[in-house]
Amino acid sequence: MSVFARLVEHLADLLTPLFHASAAAAAIVLFTALVRLLVHPLSRAAARGRRARAALQPKIDALRARHARDPERLQRAVLELHAREKVSPLSGCLPGLLQLPAFFLLYHLFSSTTIGGESNSLLDHRLFSAPLGGRWADALADGGVFGPAGLVYLCLFALVTAVATVNYRRARRTTAAQPAPVTGGDQVPGLAAVTRVTPFLSFFTLVSVAVVPLAAALYIVTSTAWSAAEQSLLYR
């Protein structure tokens, strides 16, 4: 925590000539971009994996027809096909999983009043009028929705809504193009309902931004916007 706090402080010092009082917020955005840049090779690998899985679909359809009456044999055959073609069905999860430590570190950093036994000076930093350690509830209590801090959150909500809408439309297209997964010849019970709900998960980001410290919200917004831009390039 102390090492990470010093990193954020150093980045903020470097950015102060450009962003002045909001330099720490800019440092968090820069830190998020650096994390996403490090994870980008895995995102590219995930895109290649998705294309490879799509190319395997005719073979999976043939296996489904051949083993329609033997669900266990069908699952084994599909797993063997993925292994033989060196295609991992879970490769798309890695980029998201590797970002979690950075997010939780940032969350705890701006939720702690002390770091290494000393007062957490990062909590004094702001994005315009909104403290980086504050939450939307604090902004509502201090000026309301259209107060100085509330307006910062309204801008974030507008940005998140725009990005979520782009992701929602892409998820709808992807879901519509995907065939039913192999689970023994039939769909998993309730899978149709899950499939319908999945595109709307993009808007869950709005809830996250509302309840986490503003610093963590900046991480979420930046990472989500990066994902939208990245996917539009990788999956076009």
Side-chain angles (χ1 to χ4, degrees):
M1 290 283 286
S2 299
V3 172
F4 184 61
R6 287 196 294 271
L7 172 62
V8 175
E9 289 281 12
H10 287 321
L11 286 175
D13 291 340
L14 291 174
L15 295 173
T16 295
L18 291 175
F19 298 97
H20 306 291
S22 297
I28 291 169
V29 173
L30 177 60
F31 168 77
T32 308
L34 291 175
V35 171
R36 293 308 308 260
L37 192 61
L38 289 173
V39 176
H40 180 68
L42 291 176
S43 298
R44 294 181 66 88
R48 290 194 298 270
R50 178 176 293 185
R51 288 192 290 269
R53 290 192 296 274
L56 287 181
Q57 194 55 47
K59 296 181 180 179
I60 293 176
D61 291 340
L63 290 174
R64 182 183 282 114
R66 186 184 309 165
H67 303 295
R69 297 185 178 181
D70 191 346
E72 293 183 2
R73 182 69 187 91
L74 173 59
Q75 277 192 315
R76 288 199 302 271
V78 171
L79 290 175
E80 291 169 0
L81 174 64
H82 280 100
R84 187 166 58 252
E85 299 291 338
K86 298 181 180 180
V87 175
S88 171
L90 301 177
S91 60
C93 301
L94 285 177
L97 290 176
L98 291 179
Q99 293 177 64
L100 288 177
F103 169 76
F104 283 119
L105 184 59
L106 194 64
Y107 177 90
H108 286 294
L109 182 62
F110 282 88
S111 298
S112 303
T113 56
T114 60
I115 298 176
E118 299 180 356
S119 177
N120 186 359
S121 60
L122 288 173
L123 298 181
D124 297 330
H125 290 279
R126 295 173 172 265
L127 174 58
F128 300 112
S129 299
L132 293 180
R135 291 170 167 80
W136 188 41
D138 301 322
L140 294 178
D142 184 21
V145 175
F146 298 104
L151 289 175
V152 173
Y153 278 92
L154 286 181
C155 292
L156 288 180
F157 289 145
L159 178 58
V160 169
T161 301
V163 174
T165 301
V166 172
N167 290 336
Y168 165 79
R169 291 174 177 173
R170 182 182 296 111
R172 285 289 298 271
R173 292 194 300 268
T174 302
T175 301
Q178 286 178 344
V182 175
T183 58
D186 297 315
Q187 288 188 344
V188 175
L191 181 62
V194 173
T195 301
R196 287 195 297 268
V197 170
T198 297
F200 292 95
L201 294 180
S202 302
F203 294 97
F204 183 74
T205 309
L206 287 166
V207 179
S208 302
V209 170
V211 300
V212 301
L214 179 57
L218 286 175
Y219 183 98
I220 293 172
V221 173
T222 305
S223 183
T224 304
W226 182 290
S227 292
E230 187 176 64
Q231 290 181 22
S232 67
L233 293 174
L234 295 179
Y235 295 106
R236 60 184 177 181

